[in-house]
């Protein structure tokens, strides 16, 4: 029986994770994307500013859900736990090649919200530990509350914790996923699309399929029935499209963009450190590993479309981080700047859109976009949800065809 074909739009961390898992689930998969991962060092910051994945940190920082916070955070926390488990498996199986590093995550908060204050000694969010759910969230690996003597010296931090976590070097990691996908028979098409449903009109050749035999038995690549992706019965051979385009490619009033400025420095760091300041600003570092230096950041600026980095902001980010975690300096006076980074997080009010839709006249589209500042953190959880929904759709169609 031929494999069902699924087309994934997007080769950022979300599209690649979905494509790899769909392959593992037995689908034939083609990725269609405007941008593909490449070496970070030669990625053009202006031309590729709307391709978010190169500009991420990228680390896993737990965001505990809480009844006082939007409910999608409960789902997203489950996605991040699933991602942690798969990152651990990948890291252990491919320690030198996958671009993943396991290390300590340290958090300092000047004004912690209830979601932090309610964390149990194992890091279980209070909403779950107190619920009667048969499926409580597990504790966070290596979680420990810090004592005040471990806080930064400026005296403004009032709460802190540490846990085991992971960081990736984004383009090493995404290139690893891309190579794995291609090696297992995945096909690629470099193409800019206007809408997800456009995929159902791509030709068989564009999707990497052989031409259909013409009705008389001979293959005829020039006839329209053999060159477009619909079979002789008019049905598309594309069983499902996964919309992992970052910003969505569909009108969505909930989509916004959050600019982020960070700075890549040459120094390594022994932990990924995040500080939430009382004024709402953030001070953090993300060691990229694999000779990639460390990201020091960073800003979160909704609606700011300026692609240029600000020298003043850079100076402030570096100063604040060195004060928070002087260990990164290794006794030197200042950090060694390699590059400023400006990226655009595809943010969605109400949380990422992870849901399927049948588009009349086209077919089934599974949306997986709007990951904001958490695409790496949630990637495998989202990909598992995508495979589950595609399976459900395909099984439903097959059951319908048998009636
Ligand atoms: C400064 C900064 C720091 C960050 N730090 C972290 C972090 O520490 N941890 C974390 O988890 N996340 C972090 N993020 C967020 C993370 O980088 C994003 O959530 C993630 O990269 C989004 O991935 P994506 O695959 O959804 O989108 P993208 O990476 O943007 O990929 C979208 C894909 O769709 C394709 N596409 C788009 N439009 C079209 C079209 N019209 N036609 C064809 N193809 C199209 C693109 O070419 C690309 O292949 C950070 C982001 C920034 C900017």
């Amino acid at each position: 029986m031929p494999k069902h074909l699924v087309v994934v739009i997007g080769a950022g961390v979300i599209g690649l994770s979905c494509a790899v898992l769909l392959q593992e689930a037995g689908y034939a998969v083609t990725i269609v994307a405007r941008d593909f991962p490449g070496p970070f060092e030669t990625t053009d910051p202006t031309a590729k500013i709307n391709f978010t994945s190169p500009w991420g940190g990228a680390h896993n920082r737990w965001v505990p859900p809480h009844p006082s916070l939007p409910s999608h955070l409960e789902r997203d926390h489950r996605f991040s736990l699933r991602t942690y488990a798969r990152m651990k498996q990948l890291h252990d199986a491919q320690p030198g090649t996958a671009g993943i590093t396991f290390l300590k995550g340290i958090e300092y908060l000047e004004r912690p919200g209830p979601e932090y204050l309610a964390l149990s000694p194992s890091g279980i969010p209070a909403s779950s530990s107190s619920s009667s759910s048969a499926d409580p969230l597990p504790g966070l690996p290596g979680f420990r509350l810090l004592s005040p003597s471990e806080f930064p010296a400026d005296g403004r931090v009032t709460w802190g914790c540490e846990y085991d976590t992971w960081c990736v070097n984004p383009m090493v990691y995404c290139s690893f996923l891309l190579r794995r996908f291609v090696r297992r028979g995945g096909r690629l098409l470099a193409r800019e699309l206007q809408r997800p449903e456009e995929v159902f009109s791509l030709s068989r050749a564009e999707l990497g399929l052989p031409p259909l035999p013409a009705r008389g038995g001979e293959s005829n690549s020039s006839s329209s029935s053999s060159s477009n992706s619909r079979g002789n019965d008019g049905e598309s051979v594309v069983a499902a499209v996964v919309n992992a385009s970052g910003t969505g490619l569909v009108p969505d009033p909930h989509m916004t963009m959050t600019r982020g400025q960070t700075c890549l420095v040459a120094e390594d760091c022994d932990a990924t450190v995040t500080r939430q300041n009382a004024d709402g600003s953030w001070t953090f570092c993300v060691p990229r590993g694999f000779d990639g230096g460390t990201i020091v950041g960073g800003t979160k600026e909704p609606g700011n479309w300026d692609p240029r980095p600000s020298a003043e902001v850079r100076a402030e980010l570096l100063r604040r981080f060195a004060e928070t975690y002087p260990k990164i300096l290794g006794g030197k006076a200042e950090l060694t700047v390699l590059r400023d980074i400006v990226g655009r997080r595809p943010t969605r009010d109400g949380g990422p859109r992870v849901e399927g839709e049948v588009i009349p006249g086209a077919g089934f589209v599974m949306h997986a976009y709007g990951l904001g500042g958490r695409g790496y953190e949630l990637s495998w959880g989202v990909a598992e949800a995508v495979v589950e929904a595609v399976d459900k759709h395909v099984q439903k169609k097959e059951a319908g065809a048998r009636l």
Side-chain angles (χ1 to χ4, degrees), residues 11 14 34-35 52-53 57 59 191 193 249 372-377:
I14 298 300
R34 185 190 58 213
D35 310 287
T52 307
S53 289
H59 65 179
R191 181 67 53 89
L193 303 170
L249 289 185
R374 304 194 68 194
Y376 286 89
E377 263 162 38

Side-chain angles (χ1 to χ4, degrees), residues 9-15 32-35 50-53 55-59 191-193 244-246 249 260 262 286 343-346 371-377:
I9 304 172
V13 65
I14 298 300
V32 181
R34 185 190 58 213
D35 310 287
N50 293 316
F51 177 28
T52 307
S53 289
W55 316 115
H59 65 179
R191 181 67 53 89
E192 178 155 10
L193 303 170
S245 59
L249 289 185
T262 60
V286 183
R344 292 176 176 163
R345 303 174 179 96
L371 270 293
R374 304 194 68 194
Y376 286 89
E377 263 162 38

